[in-house]
Amino acid sequence: MSQRTYNQLWAEALLDLARLLYKERRADTPRPEKDRVLFFQRVAMLYVRYIQIFRKLEEVYDQVVHPQKRTDIRAILDSVMGRIMELKNEMVDKEYSEYHYVDDVVQDLKLRPEDLDIVVPRYFLSERSKESQALKTMLVDIVTKVKERESDDQQAKEMTMEEAIKIIQVVERARQGRLRAKLNLQSRNMNRIYRTKDPGTAGVESAAICIQKVWRGYVQKRRAKVARAEEKIFLKMAMHPEYLALQPVEAAALAIKDATRVKQAEHYDDYLKCIEAVTKHLREVESQDMSDALRDQIRQWFLECRYANGAFPDFPTEEVGGSSLIFSDKDPQQLMEEIAAKEKEEAKDKKSKEEKKEKGKGKDKEKGKEEVEEEEVGLRMLPSAFLSELQEGHKTYKEFWKTRNETSNFYQRHEVELIKEEKRKIVELEVRLKVDEQMRKELAEWKLNVDKDKGKGGKKGKGKKGGKGGKKKKKEKDLTAERTLESLCEELAEQGLLKLPKDVKIQDYVGDYSYLGTTLRQNDIEPMPSLTDVRQILSLYAILPLGAQVLHENSPLIKSILLAGPPGVGKKMLVHAVCQETGATLFDLSPMNTTGKYPGKPGLSMMMHMVFKVAKLMQPSVIWIGEAEKMFYKKVPKEEKEMDPRRLKKDMLKSLKLIKGEDRVLIMGTSKSPLLADIKSLGKMFSKIILIPRPDYGSRCILWKTLIEKQGGELTKALDLSSLAKISDGYTAGHMVQVIQTVITKRRILQQARKPLTATEFVAPLAKIDPVFKEEEEALKNWYTKTPLGKKRIKAANEGKEEEGEAQEKEKDAKKGKK
């Protein structure tokens, strides 16, 4: 698509954004909503529509080449992502559940389920700074060197005589087997030659008839197959095979997109060079004129204040605004009054704060209770940190870019005049700061001279000494201050604590959408989430905050996430996908991985210090705790007491508190048997606990199809995926992968042309694996109700039932009174 098309898409997205901002402004004015269902529907509608705007803006930002437009689009894009995360947090707070079902909203807006996917912005990886890219390449080199060193050490081990004899025996048996097979083949070929006899004319005719019969049957079957396929395409029950493959037009479109990204980088480099040149020119040419004009204006203000008030004014401090207050189109008298009023207000605020502290706390508690009661009457939206930025971004577009004539800028390069306007303000600020310092000294000299003439002694203000303004927090000691980052990474890689993530994407975690979630909840049935819901939650909670610093600082802070579920549902895959999508560094602090490493308390503190120090320096970072239930065991099993799996528990909780908003560090735990852990400790450690269920029927259909094709299998009519999905109820994606790898071997792939795959081939290996039984799933559900969020949900449900019972009793009493 052309740049004009993307500009139109940008305009459409901001038009939708303007409508949403208008709705959100109106939503703040009415009274709080009493009906929880209606309030959730309103928030869900906003959530879905913001996702649509986010998808449009992400596509626009990826393809627009104008560097100054891209800065404005990026600001709006980050704010929209932040607003989506805020609305998600709002939905969790009001519905007491991590999973939400908005299929009724999707139906009302006439959207597809795919339109709800949270796409990962491509700039997370493409727009990394050169420093972070250099750090990541250094990390890859260190880990590969460590792996090569370990493999060389394993190869360098001395071989015993018994091992050598076994290897020679295996090789010799293989050689003899190949020779035996070759001799058998030769003997079979010789037998065929001797057995052939000269057939008669009758035999030739019967053979020809047999060949004709078989050939005609084959041709007719092939024609019927083609006719059936054409009929399905005509009825739109299937897609034409030509459209399934990548078309030349699609390949050309992808090539154009790649070329556009290259052009983006070229335009951005030219833009940076122009900024340096313009800033240098302004400092050399215009800065002197600016400073002279400022001095003259400030001196004129001094004299006007002198004539108006009979005394020189006090120069405004830099905190108030410095000389910028002087040029705000006000008289000297008004400025003096404004400065004096601000000082009085500050003094009043200090006095009022002290008086409030001295008063009894009883009144404050009563007021707090009244405010809580007023808030509990209805539901209101929480304050947003991104709405003001969204309004500013929309205002900038409306006032500047919407009406701008760009006929002369066909190649969408930067505009020099815009750079001059922006950089002139920066240069003016630099000049103003220097001039303010000079003029403060000059004003002090003027005052001294005037005071001398009047016979007054100039009093020097005493500088305030820094008092004890609260207890200073002790800085954490740097145990590795003398060591370089490279040496720390090398040591962690050698110990197996620093790893490279696997090459998987979040979109590889396939699954179907939940189509009846809203209907089931309306009938008081809690539906099990689908795999698509899990993927969406991980995108919101982990990928977006780790990928964008603005989101991590301003959105609701999530320091740790626990993924709980039966084995094989893809918990480890999701951890690696989060690292791969955001370019995060992966640290493995699983209890089994840290056993025997850094023994003793000093060693433990050194390990934790090194891991978190490198994680903050190499951010974004993910600290993975596999089998997290072992770290929080209620009772350690006898066979694991020597490993001491709970040794990291206290230090992890302390380190969790040290993670701040500016640190893009996320702790991710995975647990296949969370029932063994102390749930209170898990709740303290992990702010978000996400239960991943076994796949439902729709997800199993998609998984079988995707995994078979990935392994090299061909999908034909002989392979009944529907029956296979029905039979595999209770099995996870890991079980399916295990079965497919045993069935679809290299030899079986070669046989597919004459012997297509069937569903029965997968039944036997599938029967050998134990599924996830309903009892296990129910136990996980019951465990989840004991988590902090699960307790809130049960409490809210009980309160709702009590309110319904009271309402029914009131109705009965009213009916009796009428009678």
Side-chain angles (χ1 to χ4, degrees):
M1 290 192 289
S2 64
Q3 291 297 305
R4 182 182 295 177
T5 307
Y6 288 111
N7 287 332
Q8 290 175 357
L9 189 60
W10 182 23
E12 290 174 9
L14 287 187
L15 182 62
D16 295 339
L17 179 63
R19 291 168 182 161
L20 284 186
L21 291 174
Y22 177 71
K23 280 188 177 181
E24 294 221 53
R25 282 197 298 271
R26 284 185 61 191
D28 292 338
T29 51
R31 292 179 179 178
E33 184 65 56
K34 294 182 180 180
D35 191 347
R36 189 175 290 273
V37 176
L38 290 176
F39 182 82
F40 179 79
Q41 287 293 321
R42 190 200 306 167
V43 178
M45 182 70 75
L46 290 173
Y47 174 75
V48 173
R49 293 188 65 183
Y50 268 114
I51 289 176
Q52 305 313 305
I53 294 170
F54 161 62
R55 291 169 66 91
K56 289 180 183 177
L57 287 175
E58 197 279 327
E59 186 178 358
V60 170
Y61 183 73
D62 183 57
Q63 290 299 306
V64 167
V65 297
H66 196 296
Q68 289 151 314
K69 284 182 181 177
R70 294 187 85 238
T71 53
D72 290 339
I73 296 169
R74 169 73 179 274
I76 300 172
L77 177 61
D78 289 343
S79 300
V80 169
M81 286 192 288
R83 187 61 185 144
I84 290 171
M85 294 177 66
E86 285 178 343
L87 291 170
K88 174 67 177 177
N89 187 47
E90 189 93 38
M91 293 160 75
V92 171
D93 287 343
K94 300 302 183 290
E95 208 177 26
Y96 306 114
S97 175
E98 297 290 354
Y99 296 104
H100 311 290
Y101 305 99
V102 292
D103 42 295
D104 52 345
V105 179
V106 172
Q107 189 175 358
D108 292 341
L109 296 176
K110 297 180 180 179
L111 299 173
R112 302 174 302 164
E114 295 83 9
D115 295 334
L116 289 181
D117 279 346
I118 304 292
V119 294
V120 179
R122 280 158 276 200
Y123 77 84
F124 281 1
L125 297 176
S126 61
E127 293 188 9
R128 283 197 217 160
S129 63
K130 293 181 180 179
E131 294 178 359
S132 64
Q133 288 178 359
L135 288 174
K136 296 299 178 185
T137 52
M138 178 196 75
L139 179 63
V140 172
D141 294 339
I142 287 171
V143 175
T144 50
K145 283 180 184 177
V146 169
K147 285 183 179 178
E148 288 174 0
R149 204 180 302 157
E150 289 177 354
S151 62
D152 292 340
D153 292 340
Q154 290 176 357
Q155 290 177 2
K157 288 181 180 178
E158 293 184 0
M159 189 182 295
T160 61
M161 184 65 71
E162 292 178 357
E163 291 175 351
I165 291 170
K166 283 181 181 178
I167 291 171
I168 293 169
Q169 285 176 346
V170 168
V171 172
E172 180 61 24
R173 285 169 186 162
R175 186 186 68 80
Q176 291 176 7
R178 286 194 293 271
L179 287 174
R180 217 175 284 117
K182 191 175 180 180
L183 289 171
N184 289 335
L185 182 65
Q186 289 175 356
S187 63
R188 281 195 213 101
N189 292 335
M190 292 296 292
N191 290 333
R192 286 174 188 167
I193 293 169
Y194 290 126
R195 284 176 186 171
T196 52
K197 296 179 181 179
D198 186 18
T201 54
V204 172
E205 287 180 1
S206 62
I209 292 168
C210 183
I211 292 170
Q212 287 177 358
K213 192 189 295 182
V214 172
W215 174 250
R216 286 174 181 171
Y218 170 73
V219 169
Q220 191 60 37
K221 285 178 184 177
R222 191 171 64 180
R223 286 174 185 168
K225 186 178 179 181
V226 171
R228 198 180 299 113
E230 289 177 353
E231 185 181 7
K232 282 190 175 182
I233 292 168
F234 175 74
L235 296 173
K236 296 184 179 179
M237 294 173 64
M239 190 175 279
H240 200 280
E242 293 180 0
Y243 297 120
L244 295 174
L246 189 67
Q247 298 296 311
V249 179
E250 294 175 346
L254 293 174
I256 289 169
K257 284 189 174 182
D258 293 336
T260 305
R261 294 187 187 104
V262 173
K263 196 183 292 183
Q264 270 179 8
E266 294 174 358
H267 286 198
Y268 186 69
D269 292 339
D270 295 342
Y271 174 61
L272 293 178
K273 291 175 184 176
C274 184
I275 286 174
E276 292 179 3
V278 168
T279 308
K280 186 178 179 182
H281 175 75
L282 290 172
R283 283 173 181 159
E284 291 176 354
V285 176
E286 298 185 14
S287 61
Q288 189 61 39
D289 296 337
M290 289 179 188
S291 61
D292 293 341
L294 272 173
R295 286 193 190 93
D296 294 339
Q297 290 174 357
I298 292 170
R299 288 191 186 111
Q300 184 66 26
W301 181 69
F302 290 165
L303 296 173
E304 287 177 3
C305 290
R306 169 75 175 167
Y307 291 138
N309 303 320
F312 287 113
D314 292 330
F315 201 91
T317 60
E318 197 58 45
E319 296 173 356
V320 177
S323 59
S324 60
L325 278 178
I326 300 169
F327 312 114
S328 56
D329 299 330
K330 293 179 181 177
D331 298 333
Q333 185 67 28
Q334 292 176 342
L335 279 172
M336 294 294 291
E337 290 175 359
E338 187 178 335
I339 293 168
K342 283 184 178 179
E343 291 175 355
K344 286 180 181 178
E345 285 179 4
E346 289 176 0
K348 284 181 181 179
D349 290 338
K350 287 181 181 178
K351 286 181 181 179
S352 62
K353 286 179 182 178
E354 290 174 0
E355 288 174 359
K356 285 180 181 178
K357 287 179 181 179
E358 290 174 0
K359 287 180 181 179
K361 296 181 179 179
K363 293 181 180 179
D364 294 336
K365 288 181 180 178
E366 288 175 4
K367 288 180 181 178
K369 286 180 182 178
E370 289 175 2
E371 289 176 0
V372 169
E373 286 174 2
E374 288 177 2
E375 288 178 0
E376 287 178 353
V377 171
L379 299 171
R380 279 187 179 276
M381 298 278 283
L382 296 172
S384 172
F386 296 97
L387 276 178
S388 58
E389 295 179 6
L390 285 172
Q391 289 170 356
E392 288 179 8
H394 179 261
K395 186 179 178 183
T396 303
Y397 171 78
K398 189 177 179 181
E399 294 179 355
F400 189 79
W401 294 110
K402 188 177 181 180
T403 57
R404 193 168 184 82
N405 186 9
E406 293 186 293
T407 53
S408 59
N409 191 8
F410 178 75
Y411 294 103
Q412 292 290 291
R413 293 189 174 273
H414 60 269
E415 299 183 26
V416 181
E417 291 302 320
L418 295 179
I419 298 173
K420 283 184 178 178
E421 289 177 10
E422 292 176 5
K423 296 302 168 185
R424 189 175 280 116
K425 293 176 184 177
I426 297 171
V427 173
E428 283 178 358
L429 181 62
E430 294 173 358
V431 170
R432 185 180 67 77
L433 293 173
K434 292 179 182 178
V435 170
D436 283 359
E437 291 179 6
Q438 296 171 2
M439 297 311 294
R440 281 193 187 94
K441 294 177 182 177
E442 189 172 330
L443 179 61
E445 292 175 0
W446 284 18
K447 285 183 177 180
L448 284 171
N449 292 330
V450 170
D451 291 339
K452 283 180 183 177
D453 293 339
K454 290 182 178 181
K456 294 179 182 178
K459 294 181 182 179
K460 295 181 180 179
K462 293 181 181 179
K464 293 182 180 179
K465 294 182 180 180
K468 296 179 182 179
K471 293 182 181 179
K472 292 184 179 179
K473 293 183 180 179
K474 291 182 180 179
K475 290 185 178 179
E476 189 181 358
K477 290 184 180 179
D478 191 355
L479 302 175
T480 56
E482 298 178 356
R483 295 186 61 178
T484 60
L485 178 62
E486 188 173 356
S487 66
L488 292 173
C489 291
E490 190 170 355
E491 182 177 343
L492 290 173
E494 286 175 353
Q495 295 294 331
L497 303 177
L498 181 60
K499 296 181 176 180
L500 292 177
K502 295 178 182 177
D503 189 12
V504 290
K505 301 289 184 182
I506 194 68
Q507 293 300 325
D508 296 338
Y509 192 78
V510 295
D512 200 8
Y513 179 75
S514 181
Y515 297 96
L516 297 173
T518 305
T519 308
L520 291 172
R521 274 196 173 167
Q522 286 173 356
N523 294 317
D524 294 331
I525 300 171
E526 183 61 25
M528 288 301 290
S530 65
L531 300 186
T532 304
D533 297 327
V534 176
R535 184 177 67 211
Q536 192 173 19
I537 283 179
L538 261 293
S539 298
L540 287 170
Y541 287 167
I543 294 176
L544 294 186
L546 284 176
Q549 184 72 33
V550 180
L551 296 180
H552 200 273
E553 290 179 359
N554 298 321
S555 60
L557 183 59
I558 298 171
K559 297 182 181 180
S560 53
I561 299 172
L562 176 67
L563 304 177
V569 292
K571 300 183 291 293
K572 294 178 187 176
M573 177 187 174
L574 288 170
V575 173
H576 287 279
V578 169
C579 296
Q580 195 67 34
E581 293 285 5
T582 57
T585 312
L586 179 63
F587 299 87
D588 186 1
L589 287 183
S590 304
M592 300 302 291
N593 190 41
T594 55
T595 302
K597 298 172 183 177
Y598 297 96
K601 287 186 178 179
L604 183 61
S605 58
M606 175 61 77
M607 180 180 71
M608 296 298 293
H609 170 76
M610 288 171 61
V611 167
F612 276 87
K613 180 181 178 180
V614 176
K616 290 178 181 179
L617 292 173
M618 301 280 291
Q619 57 180 291
S621 300
V622 172
I623 298 172
W624 173 41
I625 304 172
E627 296 179 318
E629 72 276 359
K630 294 187 176 182
M631 191 179 289
F632 302 97
Y633 265 144
K634 295 175 186 175
K635 186 179 179 181
V636 181
K638 291 181 181 179
E639 60 272 12
E640 295 184 15
K641 279 187 178 179
E642 294 181 0
M643 302 177 184
D644 193 12
R646 295 192 295 189
R647 64 192 288 251
L648 291 179
K649 180 180 174 181
K650 292 181 181 178
D651 292 276
M652 283 300 296
L653 290 169
K654 290 178 183 177
S655 302
L656 181 67
K657 295 176 182 177
L658 298 176
I659 298 174
K660 299 176 183 177
E662 60 269 15
D663 302 326
R664 284 188 290 162
V665 179
L666 180 67
I667 298 173
M668 293 189 73
T670 56
S671 175
K672 61 183 177 182
S673 52
L675 284 79
L676 302 175
D678 181 21
I679 198 160
K680 288 185 179 179
S681 302
L682 277 178
K684 288 179 183 177
M685 181 68 204
F686 298 101
S687 56
K688 294 289 182 182
I689 299 176
I690 298 169
L691 182 63
I692 304 177
R694 56 192 178 91
D696 55 1
Y697 171 78
S699 297
R700 290 197 300 274
C701 282
I702 296 172
L703 280 168
W704 279 115
K705 179 179 180 297
T706 307
L707 295 174
I708 287 171
E709 288 179 341
K710 191 175 181 180
Q711 189 68 16
E714 292 180 3
L715 299 176
T716 59
K717 290 183 179 179
L719 182 58
D720 190 358
L721 288 177
S722 179
S723 300
L724 197 57
K726 189 71 176 174
I727 292 168
S728 58
D729 186 14
Y731 291 92
T732 62
H735 296 151
M736 295 178 191
V737 171
Q738 187 178 344
V739 169
I740 289 168
Q741 286 176 352
T742 55
V743 173
I744 305 178
T745 58
K746 290 183 179 179
R747 183 181 179 187
R748 187 67 186 86
I749 291 169
L750 296 173
Q751 293 174 350
Q752 285 183 114
R754 56 185 178 80
K755 186 183 176 183
L757 289 169
T758 58
T760 54
E761 295 180 59
F762 298 92
V763 174
L766 195 66
K768 295 177 182 178
I769 303 171
D770 292 331
V772 179
F773 297 103
K774 286 187 178 180
E775 292 80 5
E776 297 177 33
E777 191 173 13
E778 290 298 325
L780 280 172
K781 284 183 183 178
N782 294 331
W783 169 83
Y784 190 72
T785 56
K786 297 174 184 176
T787 60
L789 194 63
K791 288 179 179 177
K792 288 181 182 178
R793 183 167 181 79
I794 291 172
K795 186 179 178 182
N798 293 333
E799 288 176 358
K801 288 179 181 178
E802 288 176 3
E803 289 176 1
E804 288 179 3
E806 289 175 1
Q808 288 176 2
E809 287 178 2
K810 287 179 181 179
E811 288 180 2
K812 289 179 182 178
D813 294 339
K815 288 178 180 178
K816 288 179 181 178
K818 287 180 181 179
K819 290 179 180 179

